[in-house]
Amino acid sequence: MLQFKRIILYCFMKKRKPSFLLSLIIITVLSAMISFSMLSLKLPTIICLLLCIFYISIISIFLGYSKENINSFILDGVKKSAFVIVMLLVIGCLIGSWIVSGIIPTIIYYGLEIINPSYFLVIGLISCSIISYFTGSAYACIGTIGVAMIGIAEGMGLSLPITAGMILSGALFGDKMSPFSDTTNMAAAITKTPLFVHIKSMLYTTFPAWIIALIIYAFLGSNFNSSTIDVQQLENLKSSIQTNFQISPLLLIVPLITIILAIKKTPPVLAIGIGAFLSIIVGLIFQNQFDTYTIFISLVEGLQLDFDSNLTNKLFSNRGGMENMMHTISIVIIALVFGEIITRTGVLGALISGLEKVVYNSVSLVFLTIISCLLTTMISNSQYLSILMPGEAFLPLYKRKNMSSRVLSRSLEDGGTMFGMLVPWTGDAAFAALTLGVATIDYLPFAFFALLSPVISVIFATFNLALWKNSDDNWDTK
């Protein structure tokens, strides 16, 4: 009996680093639990994440962590979600204020006037790529021009899943390539690679993926023509926009200022906040049909009005505002709390480290880096951790295999940056689905750039293309 008590005390009081086998068992059970909860029980994402936290907390106690330790992990996870929460709140303000001020209705109206359906996807991809590059934020791109593009597609009667996939592709291009992007800077910093060396390295895999995606969208768009458009719906929407909003090219000055602020390297939260503030002023000047209260309350609630058509209501009513971001914010907080616990207990690290044993050559190294990014995204629900954890785990291995750190930094972005908005239960995917009004599972097959990036990365490794050695890393001359 005494020996049994000692065993129990050892199991529950002594902190132990989990082995690869134990981590694999924990993750397997976790994956089965998520699959059963979401596919069989049809539980909401947030409930599944809460069950995951409960499960991993029990595992943490078994690994010897105290209730105080777990409480600390939870609080640290909440702290790490602060920046994303603030970002979501200001984007909510931006969407609401850009609608009530007539900015998004103006973009949609002119888009319906001048964009040929056959070239809509191509123009959309290029536009979203440019906006996301200069803002450095996929969130900002989706919340602004992305909303407008969905509105244009809705008005033309085009496929919303394909349009959402195109928007995600353009948004992720900038999130990956922009020197202003947090993920771009994180991947460079973790691998100790100079920022522009890292960006130059990504050109080799990013542009082929982007060009192929552009060609696919051009092919799909060729099936969109005047005969596929509901002309009456299009005219009704344009008439409704003109009736309910003051349309003017002067309103486009606010988006232009917001982009300029981003180019000037203004912090994204501040640039987006200024854009929302300016749009309120513009709304007070141009949209005389709305009272002052309606314009200001759009920052919190969005535009709470009933319009003269169902389509106009779908596009503009109850969209944006801080309150409409609360569900996504709750998912972000819970996802990062779960990610913090599974990371701090060493479960995720042990799993990634164990994968190193099956690395035989450069192809398997790049492939496992990308797979680790995917696993980390699926398990931790965090785009940041999907770059941080594999980056720290694989950096020594890349050095031992005589592989340049810029190959690792590129692989982290080819995988980690791309997967965040493709895994349905992450906060990133929840934001995209909520903002665009298209479920993740529906737009996922059409997010061609995101799907192609990891594939192109592995193909380059297979044919030994752009695989630099440690001896090539002379940062003073590159």
Side-chain angles (χ1 to χ4, degrees), residues 262-459:
I263 295 173
K264 295 293 185 180
K265 300 183 181 181
T266 304
V269 170
L270 184 58
I272 294 170
I274 292 173
F277 175 74
L278 291 177
S279 63
I280 290 295
I281 296 175
V282 167
L284 292 170
I285 296 172
F286 283 88
Q287 309 303 329
N288 297 322
Q289 71 276 23
F290 301 139
D291 57 38
T292 303
Y293 177 82
T294 299
I295 292 175
F296 274 99
I297 203 65
S298 67
L299 296 169
V300 179
E301 299 179 354
L303 185 57
Q304 301 289 332
L305 291 176
D306 287 328
F307 295 99
D308 52 6
S309 75
N310 291 331
L311 182 53
T312 311
N313 275 326
K314 184 177 180 180
L315 290 176
F316 305 126
S317 183
N318 196 32
R319 296 290 297 273
M322 290 190 288
E323 287 185 356
N324 284 322
M325 290 293 172
M326 288 304 170
H327 178 70
T328 304
I329 287 172
S330 63
I331 291 177
V332 168
I333 293 172
I334 293 172
L336 288 180
V337 165
F338 171 71
E340 186 71 11
I341 298 174
I342 202 168
T343 302
R344 295 278 289 275
T345 52
V347 173
L348 189 56
L351 183 67
I352 294 175
S353 297
L355 292 175
E356 295 182 9
K357 298 177 182 178
V358 295
V359 173
Y360 301 105
N361 51 39
S362 59
V363 180
S364 60
L365 184 56
V366 171
F367 178 75
L368 281 175
T369 302
I370 291 174
I371 290 297
S372 296
C373 292
L374 176 60
L375 289 173
T376 307
T377 302
M378 296 176 69
I379 297 167
S380 70
N381 308 296
S382 170
Q383 185 187 52
Y384 299 120
L385 285 178
S386 69
I387 294 174
L388 175 64
M389 293 295 295
E392 291 182 340
F394 281 95
L395 182 57
L397 187 58
Y398 270 73
K399 290 182 178 180
R400 290 198 295 272
K401 296 292 182 179
N402 194 28
M403 292 278 285
S404 171
S405 64
R406 59 183 133 164
V407 179
L408 172 59
S409 66
R410 180 181 70 202
S411 301
L412 293 174
E413 293 239 61
D414 287 338
T417 302
M418 297 295 102
F419 294 132
M421 290 187 179
L422 301 183
V423 178
W425 53 86
T426 65
D428 296 327
F431 166 76
L434 172 69
T435 305
L436 300 177
V438 180
T440 306
I441 199 68
D442 292 331
Y443 70 64
L444 190 153
F446 304 105
F448 297 118
F449 174 70
L451 295 172
L452 285 167
S453 287
V455 175
I456 296 294
S457 186
V458 174
I459 290 174

Side-chain angles (χ1 to χ4, degrees), residues 167-178:
I167 293 168
L168 262 293
S169 292
L172 288 171
F173 172 84
D175 199 18
K176 181 182 182 184
M177 292 299 297
S178 175

